[in-house]
Amino acid sequence: KNEVEQSPQNLTAQEGEFITINCSYSVGISALHWLQQHPGGGIVSLFMLSSGKKKHGRLIATINIQEKHSSLHITASHPRDSAVYICAVTRSQGNLIFGKGTKLSVKP
Amino acid sequence: EAQVTQNPRYLITVTGKKLTVTCSQNMNHEYMSWYRQDPGLGLRQIYYSMNVEVTDKGDVPEGYKVSRKEKRNFPLILESPSPNQTSLYFCASSVRGQYYNEQFFGPGTRLTVL
């Protein structure tokens, strides 16, 4: 079993829909990251969380430390949001473990 | 401009020919790391460095070497590349704060070993 599990693996949405991507982990962590990778390959950090909730524009990330679970929400989705979204956790030693990613496609 | 640079961006080589992929950051970050990305396996950490002269193994260190002699540079060395090291490689850096801050990624290096 992977230490970081994401769901769903693939997600297709219509423009304007509310989207949720989930991440569960089974190890102790110092922080959790949400990353975005566009088809061109570059990786951008969206959020780094150690507790609670963060918001940036139409993106919201939450984490529940007790349940070892995080969600990434996208409100009013747009075709430019189409990308792979990756959850990663930082262990206390400083190493990172990644989920396998969620491929999101938003149709106009 | 704050950035992480990697060179080369693309490389095709042959089995056994030593190579180095360079990584440099201009943000004075303490933490630097190397990852490889493979279809179906996602991103996996190769090595990371908390600061100058401090390096640690990630999940898949076999066949790789790193060094951190200066804060800004963190080269990845493949002493004897093999075809199973064909992959997309990313370098990243971050400020090593109390909770490890967000990672800044380089553009990636696509390596093919024949």
Side-chain angles (χ1 to χ4, degrees):
Chain A
K1 189 179 186 299
N2 294 327
E3 292 168 307
V4 180
E5 296 272 6
Q6 282 185 240
S7 62
Q9 278 187 289
N10 294 282
L11 182 55
T12 300
Q14 287 298 127
E15 184 174 356
E17 284 184 0
F18 181 84
I19 289 163
T20 296
I21 299 170
N22 296 299
C23 176
S24 296
Y25 54 93
S26 58
V27 295
I29 69 169
S30 297
L32 183 141
H33 307 258
W34 281 103
L35 311 172
Q36 181 191 57
Q37 186 172 27
H38 276 289
I43 300 174
V44 173
S45 177
L46 297 175
F47 295 103
M48 194 281 297
L49 295 159
S50 53
S51 64
K53 177 180 175 177
K54 286 190 177 180
K55 184 174 188 291
H56 185 258
R58 294 179 296 106
L59 274 58
I60 303 166
T62 64
I63 187 169
N64 184 318
I65 298 292
Q66 286 73 31
E67 294 187 5
K68 296 190 172 180
H69 182 268
S70 175
S71 293
L72 176 68
H73 305 287
I74 305 176
T75 62
S77 58
H78 190 275
R80 65 173 174 267
D81 296 326
S82 297
V84 176
Y85 292 83
I86 302 167
C87 173
V89 299
T90 303
R91 303 293 309 276
S92 56
Q93 309 93 302
N95 58 317
L96 265 78
I97 307 170
F98 296 83
K100 290 200 166 45
T102 295
K103 186 175 182 181
L104 171 65
S105 178
V106 182
K107 307 290 186 190
Chain B
E1 180 191 352
Q3 60 183 350
V4 178
T5 57
Q6 294 178 227
N7 282 293
R9 295 288 313 280
Y10 302 90
L11 179 60
I12 300 173
T13 190
V14 295
T15 298
K17 186 176 180 183
K18 181 179 178 180
L19 68 93
T20 299
V21 184
T22 64
C23 174
S24 183
Q25 50 92 7
N26 62 1
M27 295 168 279
N28 203 37
H29 286 168
E30 291 91 352
Y31 185 100
M32 296 187 75
S33 183
W34 275 103
Y35 308 98
R36 60 178 289 175
Q37 185 176 39
D38 301 289
L41 297 175
L43 283 157
R44 293 177 293 170
Q45 191 169 38
I46 303 171
Y47 270 98
Y48 61 103
S49 169
M50 297 286 206
N51 214 326
V52 176
E53 302 290 1
V54 179
T55 61
D56 284 289
K57 295 178 181 178
D59 286 335
V60 288
E62 297 78 18
Y64 304 95
K65 281 176 59 176
V66 293
S67 67
R68 187 91 182 274
K69 294 185 171 56
E70 310 165 277
K71 201 171 189 180
R72 64 183 293 125
N73 296 322
F74 191 44
L76 180 69
I77 303 157
L78 285 73
E79 295 268 2
S80 183
S82 62
N84 64 12
Q85 292 178 298
T86 292
S87 188
L88 179 59
Y89 291 87
F90 288 98
C91 178
S93 72
S94 71
V95 173
R96 184 174 177 264
Q98 182 181 3
Y99 297 111
Y100 302 101
N101 292 330
E102 66 171 300
Q103 301 257 311
F104 290 82
F105 284 81
T109 295
R110 189 167 292 280
L111 172 66
T112 302
V113 183
L114 301 174

